[in-house]
Amino acid sequence: MSFDEIDKKLLLFLQEDSKQTTKELSYKLGLSVTAVYERIKKMENTGVISKYVAILDRHKINRDFIVLCHVKLTQHKKEYVLQFEKEVMNLQEVTECFHVSGDYDYILKIGVKDMEDYRNFMLSKLTTLQHIASTHSSFMISEVKNTTAIVL
């Protein structure tokens, strides 16, 4: 799908605050409410806009200890990969999981309360998953950039 400048601006406005009304957006874009509505519907129907979410403040919900955990599997058998991916989907502390190339097979982004909470997560959940050969954890010192916005 190709995007004109209005589509690009509309997508940026929606990524900044998706609760804006079509009336507010139409004012910002210099379009009619109907035109804005139709553009949004088209992007929803084509899957460009996949969903709307509320982004929580990690500090206010006591999940501000962020860990990047590198995971290496024992083997790269298809069944091991698929089983790991299925099991990691059930770990609520894991907010992101990437299958990567390099020394490790996966990178997990994990949000917990503190170091003790992370230790409990490792001992009672992550290390109980099958086919994990090793892990390597890095802890966030400070957040330099965190955005969900994609600029076209």
Side-chain angles (χ1 to χ4, degrees):
M1 184 173 172
S2 62
F3 303 97
D4 63 18
E5 288 307 310
I6 293 173
D7 288 332
K8 292 176 183 179
K9 286 180 185 176
L10 176 57
L11 287 169
L12 277 176
F13 291 145
L14 288 171
Q15 289 180 97
E16 288 171 7
D17 180 6
S18 65
K19 289 187 77 172
Q20 296 177 82
T21 65
T22 51
K23 185 176 181 180
E24 291 169 319
L25 292 166
S26 69
Y27 177 76
K28 290 179 179 181
L29 295 167
L31 295 175
S32 70
V33 172
T34 303
V36 171
Y37 175 82
E38 288 173 357
R39 284 176 182 260
I40 292 171
K41 276 296 165 207
K42 181 180 178 187
M43 288 188 269
E44 289 172 347
N45 292 337
T46 58
V48 171
I49 297 173
S50 60
K51 63 181 166 180
Y52 298 92
V53 299
I55 298 173
L56 306 181
D57 183 325
R58 288 192 318 269
H59 304 287
K60 293 183 180 177
I61 60 168
N62 212 10
R63 285 283 199 83
D64 55 348
F65 190 78
I66 303 301
V67 182
L68 296 177
C69 182
H70 296 70
V71 176
K72 186 181 288 189
L73 299 182
T74 55
Q75 293 183 32
H76 295 114
K77 288 183 177 180
K78 181 179 179 180
E79 63 191 79
Y80 289 11
V81 167
L82 295 176
Q83 182 174 1
F84 174 81
E85 290 176 0
K86 180 181 176 188
E87 290 176 345
V88 83
M89 294 295 289
N90 295 321
L91 301 176
Q92 67 184 32
E93 295 87 351
V94 176
T95 57
E96 297 179 58
C97 175
F98 302 97
H99 192 181
V100 297
S101 64
D103 292 336
Y104 290 90
D105 300 310
Y106 292 91
I107 299 175
L108 310 178
K109 182 177 177 183
I110 301 163
V112 289
K113 185 174 106 176
D114 54 24
M115 181 62 85
E116 183 180 344
D117 201 21
Y118 182 62
R119 182 177 191 277
N120 290 335
F121 167 77
M122 285 293 290
L123 294 175
S124 64
K125 294 183 180 181
L126 189 61
T127 57
T128 66
L129 301 185
Q130 295 183 38
H131 314 301
I132 293 180
S134 65
T135 63
H136 175 86
S137 300
S138 299
F139 307 100
M140 181 179 75
I141 295 171
S142 68
E143 187 172 81
V144 176
K145 180 177 181 178
N146 181 350
T147 183
T148 59
I150 299 172
V151 179
L152 300 177

